[in-house]
């Protein structure tokens, strides 16, 4: 399964770099996942530090549509664990979402690729916001 996850992450990184995925800030998007109320982050490491459910930080999370389904990177902040990102897939609007991999994955290569994908999207969004703000100043 790790091989498939690595291939998926590589493909998402490539599609993101080529601007073939239109990532949106989750909080501002009309696209929404069918999320369970509990955190999707359920590794044994998390249960050692977190004893209650957690909600993603939607203002720092991203979502895109691919074919009929959704791809999301949900950001979490934990006091003991710092930052954490989950790659979540949902096959179509009627199915439930599933966490595929996390930035806290024990496989270092998977963990680093999740972080790389998130940083590519986050950096691009920050640049877009700054560019729009510069245009706003120049046009005022």
């Amino acid at each position: 399964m790790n091989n498939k996850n690595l291939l998926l992450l590589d493909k998402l990184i490539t599609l993101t770099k080529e601007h073939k995925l239109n990532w949106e800030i989750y909080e501002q998007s009309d696209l929404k996942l069918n999320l369970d109320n509990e955190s999707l982050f359920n590794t044994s490491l998390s249960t050692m530090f977190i004893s209650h459910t957690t909600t993603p930080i939607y203002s720092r999370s991203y979502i895109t549509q691919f074919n009929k389904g959704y791809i999301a990177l949900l950001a979490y902040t934990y006091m003991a664990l710092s930052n954490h990102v989950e790659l979540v897939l949902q096959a179509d609007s009627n199915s439930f979402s599933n966490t595929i991999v996390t930035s806290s994955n024990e496989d270092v290569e998977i963990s680093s690729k999740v972080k790389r994908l998130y940083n590519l999207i986050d950096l691009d969004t920050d640049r877009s916001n700054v560019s729009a703000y510069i245009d706003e100043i120049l046009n005022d």
Side-chain angles (χ1 to χ4, degrees), residues 129-140:
N129 290 342
V130 169
S131 179
Y133 183 57
I134 290 170
D135 291 342
E136 183 181 319
I137 292 169
L138 295 174
N139 294 326
D140 191 20

Side-chain angles (χ1 to χ4, degrees), residues 45-103:
L45 180 61
S46 70
T47 55
M48 291 189 307
F49 293 103
I50 305 163
S51 59
H52 63 293
T53 60
T54 306
T55 304
I57 303 168
Y58 295 119
S59 62
R60 299 300 298 170
S61 298
Y62 300 97
I63 189 167
T64 190
Q65 187 166 10
F66 185 82
N67 295 335
K68 295 184 290 182
Y70 306 115
I71 305 166
L73 285 168
L74 301 180
Y76 295 83
T77 300
Y78 299 110
M79 202 176 243
L81 291 177
S82 187
N83 296 326
H84 168 79
V85 177
E86 296 177 351
L87 174 64
V88 180
L89 299 183
Q90 182 175 308
D92 57 52
S93 60
N94 296 319
S95 61
F96 285 98
S97 57
N98 289 305
T99 299
I100 304 304
V101 291
T102 73
S103 62

Side-chain angles (χ1 to χ4, degrees), residues 27-41:
E27 182 177 70
Q28 299 169 0
S29 178
D30 291 333
L31 305 174
K32 298 297 178 209
L33 296 172
N34 295 326
L35 293 171
D36 193 351
N37 286 338
E38 294 183 23
S39 170
L40 300 172
F41 178 35

Side-chain angles (χ1 to χ4, degrees), residues 16-29:
T16 298
K17 285 173 134 181
E18 294 172 351
H19 300 283
K20 292 183 178 176
L21 292 175
N22 183 29
W23 291 96
E24 302 173 20
I25 297 172
Y26 192 92
E27 182 177 70
Q28 299 169 0
S29 178

